[in-house]
Amino acid sequence: AQSVTQPDIHITVSEGASLELRCNYSYGATPYLFWYVQSPGQGLQLLLKYFSGDTLVQGIKGFEAEFKRSQSSFNLRKPSVHWSDAAEYFCAVGAGYGGSQGNLIFGKGTKLSVKP
Amino acid sequence: DAGVIQSPRHEVTEMGQEVTLRCKPISGHNSLFWYRQTMMRGLELLIYFNNNVPIDDSGMPEDRFSAKMPNASFSTLKIQPSEPRDSAVYFCASSLSRVEQFFGPGTRLTVL
């Protein structure tokens, strides 16, 4: 069965510091991978996605993620965090795109706090 | 585009009452998803539709939950009767060809 693990429930970084949020997935085929961000009281906004091709993908707000098949990982990175990045981040894998399924399997999320 | 629209944004009701949540997907999108988010279980897919047809409702908790999509621009999620354990944030999302999903702002449901 497909699954997504985000090992870190809560991370605190200082403003201006670099950030890496971890995501590991379990999926039998080539996965479609996503990172979403959720600000308090808001819906989820897509940061970036990986379907195929270049394993380093760029997203909005200066975020990037790298797909590593050998490690079943899709970690999210940002070189310099801003206070406005404080939010909850969700990694997701797309189950069965192109086939009969279309749902996303989400990780439990990582809450990011930013220290001034 | 206005994005995915959900109503109401907040709903407080008493146990046993019927609750109806509404969703208007992005125009032109052909897939619609209902999710529930709780602290304990995270984000869970309840049901999704493709071209107005329910494809997978295996995530619907029990018979008290039902969802409909009478046309391409409207869907409802109904809980009857509601219970305190149904308290959660319910999200609707839509997509084109089941790829990238766009989420609405959610409905925060509190059942007393």
Side-chain angles (χ1 to χ4, degrees), chain A residues 36 38 41-44 46 49 51 90 97 99-104 106, chain B residues 9 33 35 37 40-41 43 45 48 55 91 98-101 103-105:
Chain A
Y36 282 85
Q38 184 181 28
Q42 302 296 314
L44 280 73
L46 181 69
K49 59 185 182 286
F51 288 170
F90 293 90
Y97 279 106
S100 60
Q101 300 181 45
N103 51 303
L104 292 177
F106 283 88
Chain B
R9 292 294 308 276
F33 306 79
Y35 292 89
Q37 184 179 40
M40 291 296 294
R41 301 175 66 90
L43 267 165
L45 178 70
Y48 82 91
I55 302 300
F91 288 103
R98 302 195 294 273
V99 182
E100 180 177 332
Q101 293 184 22
F103 282 74

Side-chain angles (χ1 to χ4, degrees), chain B residues 14-31:
Chain B
E14 293 189 345
M15 183 174 63
Q17 296 298 305
E18 177 179 296
V19 175
T20 299
L21 311 181
R22 297 173 176 80
C23 175
K24 176 179 170 55
I26 293 172
S27 178
H29 282 190
N30 58 359
S31 294

Side-chain angles (χ1 to χ4, degrees), chain A residues 1-4 25-28 93-96 101 103 105:
Chain A
Q2 301 91 357
S3 66
V4 177
Y25 66 89
S26 173
Y27 188 63
V93 62
Q101 300 181 45
N103 51 303
I105 308 298

